Amino acid sequence: MRLLVSLTAAAVLLAAPTAADAETRQARLLHVNDVYEIAPDRDGLGGFGPLGRLIAEREPALVTFGGDLISPSVLSSLTRGAHMVSLMNAIGTDAAVVGNHEFDFGPEVFADRLGESAFPWLAANTTGIAGVKAREIREVGGVKVGLFGVVTAETATLSSPGAGIAFSDPLAAAKEQAAALRAEGAEVVVALTHLTLEEDLAVGRLDGIDVVLGGHDHEPWAHHDGDTLILKAGYNARFLAVVDLTVETGGKQPVVTAGWSMVPVGGPADPAVGAKVAAFQQELDGALAAPLATLGADLDSRRSTVRGREAAIGNLIADAMRAATGADVALTNGGGIRGDRTYASGGTLTRGDVLAELPFGNVVEVVRLTGAQLHAALEHGVSAVEQGAGRFPQVSGLRLTYDPAAPAGERLREVTVGQAPLDPAATYTVAVNDYIGRGGDGYAVLADAPRTVTAEGARLLSTVVMDALAAAGTVAPATDGRITAAR
């Protein structure tokens, strides 16, 4: 079998007839992946309401999902992802592959979400998950489309699947499933994957697979290697990947051709889906006003504080990051703390307060740095304190002393991690928000550092802080000398 695809979006190439009695049929696939938010973003892209309308306009089609639905989002922290399954049911999802974030709340919660799903979840390289299938055949446009799912084996460490669930080699599973689907009469074989880009390319090189519809990576991406079309639709349903297949039979094997496009998701909402989104948004608005914790001390998130010195709120956030990840150290930029206000002792912190302080939707990555690299990151962090630059570090797990009057790049005087001096040759795990993790605010040393927790497997920073507050009930964050300006 051979798949031909144009390198330009939406151009369909038709195969030459292979026999006098050839029969030609068309089938359409619609795909999104890695959806966490239910409403359009600040750019007006995404949202289940507009997505539902675009899907309805393109029916009949097979609607597929590339994994990561149950978490993370603020609303998911309240519903444990039940609202996401409800909305996926509403837009007519036909099949989904399991993603690593499906296990963020543990296997019992995912089992509940499986029971609520009107569509099958596929994951051929897993064992121990009742209700998850390896493969199935669906018919659309008179074409028998075989679907199978594979998920990254790193899910075992990226999330919380539980001791009874195991993940095997996705490539071996993909090869086995493609052959099984052919034997069962599939005319087109589609791999639904939640893998890295490198792994998806490897899946695409296997025999018998026509289309790979992926997830895990958060950028829209398309690839054609001469035989197989590989598509990822980005994240948060900002784009709908559309694949139009032409299947011609009559020869020894079907000839499959395909065209594709990435359709920006925006505009009017499907009325029914939009009403469900509005109801969930109303539920979230009410939940945001609920108190998380009582303050046992004053709290100051003013710009001049978080960008110029150790701040109690910075300690609160960094401590939550380190505790949630088990990292040696946590580092976040003061410019990412945006409330610019004070809170009085005896008051309460709500979910809305946390979102006001951390509005950017950042997640918590964990990078591996040598002591020398960590020193460079901290040196950069204090390099423009006199300008009130957002790079100023708020930290946990370490103490630093610096001279703000010294030249930039030569300001650090002492750094200790735990109880020991920073060792330039040692390796430390460092929890960071993904903005500075990709080099934001000039933290270039973090951009290429190896990850033990990547953005794709990470939790929302706001959720990490909310969970820490809710668990404590009462908090009295204070400064403790972890950042000292020596003059």
Side-chain angles (χ1 to χ4, degrees):
M1 178 171 292
R2 191 175 181 203
L3 173 74
L4 303 174
V5 62
S6 166
L7 293 178
T8 58
V12 179
L13 303 179
L14 296 178
T18 57
D21 58 349
E23 179 185 4
T24 301
R25 287 160 292 151
Q26 280 78 37
R28 174 170 287 174
L29 311 175
L30 303 175
H31 182 73
V32 293
N33 56 270
D34 297 82
V35 180
Y36 314 113
E37 301 296 338
I38 65 175
D41 63 17
R42 295 179 182 181
D43 297 324
L45 288 175
F48 273 95
L51 177 63
R53 175 184 57 82
L54 289 172
I55 288 173
E57 291 172 352
R58 286 159 177 79
E59 295 283 9
L62 199 62
V63 181
T64 61
F65 178 68
D68 275 6
L69 180 75
I70 306 305
S71 170
S73 72
V74 174
L75 189 49
S76 282
S77 70
L78 304 175
T79 73
R80 295 299 192 260
H83 71 294
M84 301 299 283
V85 170
S86 176
L87 287 167
M88 290 295 279
N89 290 340
I91 65 172
T93 305
D94 290 298
V97 63
V98 174
N100 51 281
H101 278 300
E102 267 59 85
F103 301 99
D104 281 0
F105 301 117
E108 294 83 5
V109 170
F110 183 41
D112 290 341
R113 301 293 83 82
L114 281 169
E116 297 159 2
S117 300
F119 51 90
W121 289 85
L122 308 178
N125 64 321
T126 63
T127 56
I129 316 176
V132 170
K133 303 174 63 176
R135 65 184 181 272
E136 74 168 32
I137 295 178
R138 302 292 293 268
E139 188 169 307
V140 59
V143 176
K144 293 181 179 179
V145 179
L147 301 161
F148 70 86
V150 285
V151 57
T152 173
E154 292 183 355
T155 300
T157 55
L158 289 176
S159 192
S160 304
I165 296 174
F167 302 86
S168 61
D169 177 17
L171 292 183
K175 183 177 181 180
E176 177 184 347
Q177 295 303 314
L181 286 168
R182 292 294 180 197
E184 292 166 5
E187 297 168 295
V188 176
V189 171
V190 176
L192 292 181
T193 69
H194 196 80
L195 303 173
T196 66
L197 179 57
E198 182 179 359
E199 289 173 312
D200 273 335
L201 291 170
V203 170
R205 289 191 289 268
L206 297 173
D207 290 337
I209 297 174
D210 298 307
V211 181
V212 178
L213 297 177
H216 201 41
D217 296 303
H218 286 184
E219 294 299 324
W221 192 87
H223 175 77
H224 168 239
D225 65 359
D227 290 308
T228 304
L229 171 64
I230 306 172
L231 288 179
K232 296 174 186 270
Y235 74 108
N236 276 344
R238 292 163 56 90
F239 294 93
L240 174 64
V242 180
V243 180
D244 286 305
L245 301 173
T246 298
V247 180
E248 189 163 358
T249 57
K252 292 182 178 180
Q253 294 180 329
V255 176
V256 181
T257 65
W260 64 271
S261 61
M262 292 284 187
V263 179
V265 175
D270 175 271
V273 179
K276 291 179 72 71
V277 169
F280 285 127
Q281 287 288 98
Q282 186 175 8
E283 178 182 346
L284 176 60
D285 292 342
L288 291 178
L292 284 170
T294 301
L295 281 173
D298 294 341
L299 204 58
D300 181 358
S301 71
R302 289 175 297 178
R303 181 186 178 97
S304 58
T305 300
V306 298
R307 294 174 178 235
R309 58 183 182 272
E310 178 191 353
I313 192 169
N315 291 353
L316 171 70
I317 293 166
D319 286 348
M321 293 168 65
R322 186 163 67 97
T325 59
D328 300 319
V329 171
L331 167 64
T332 193
N333 57 319
I337 304 171
R338 307 293 285 199
D340 200 21
R341 58 168 292 189
T342 59
Y343 303 83
S345 178
T348 60
L349 285 175
T350 68
R351 288 185 173 87
D353 292 329
V354 175
L355 285 182
E357 296 293 349
L358 301 169
F360 297 117
N362 295 122
V363 296
V364 184
E365 298 182 319
V366 178
V367 301
R368 294 177 63 86
L369 299 177
T370 65
Q373 291 171 320
L374 179 55
H375 188 280
L378 296 171
E379 189 74 76
H380 173 74
V382 298
S383 65
V385 60
E386 67 277 12
Q387 302 169 20
R391 71 186 70 167
F392 187 84
Q394 299 293 333
V395 300
S396 176
L398 65 80
R399 292 176 178 268
L400 68 89
T401 300
Y402 75 103
D403 181 358
E410 302 176 10
R411 292 182 171 179
L412 287 183
R413 294 292 175 261
E414 183 181 11
V415 180
T416 60
V417 176
Q419 303 300 316
L422 180 70
D423 181 353
T427 299
Y428 300 93
T429 53
V430 184
V432 298
N433 72 64
D434 66 311
Y435 170 68
I436 64 171
R438 59 179 179 266
D441 262 346
Y443 280 93
V445 69
L446 304 179
D448 295 323
R451 265 66 173 160
T452 61
V453 176
T454 65
E456 291 78 12
R459 297 175 62 205
L460 281 173
L461 175 55
S462 57
T463 301
V464 166
V465 174
M466 289 180 195
D467 287 350
L469 290 169
T474 298
V475 293
T479 57
D480 56 17
R482 63 184 73 177
I483 300 176
T484 302
R487 300 182 185 274

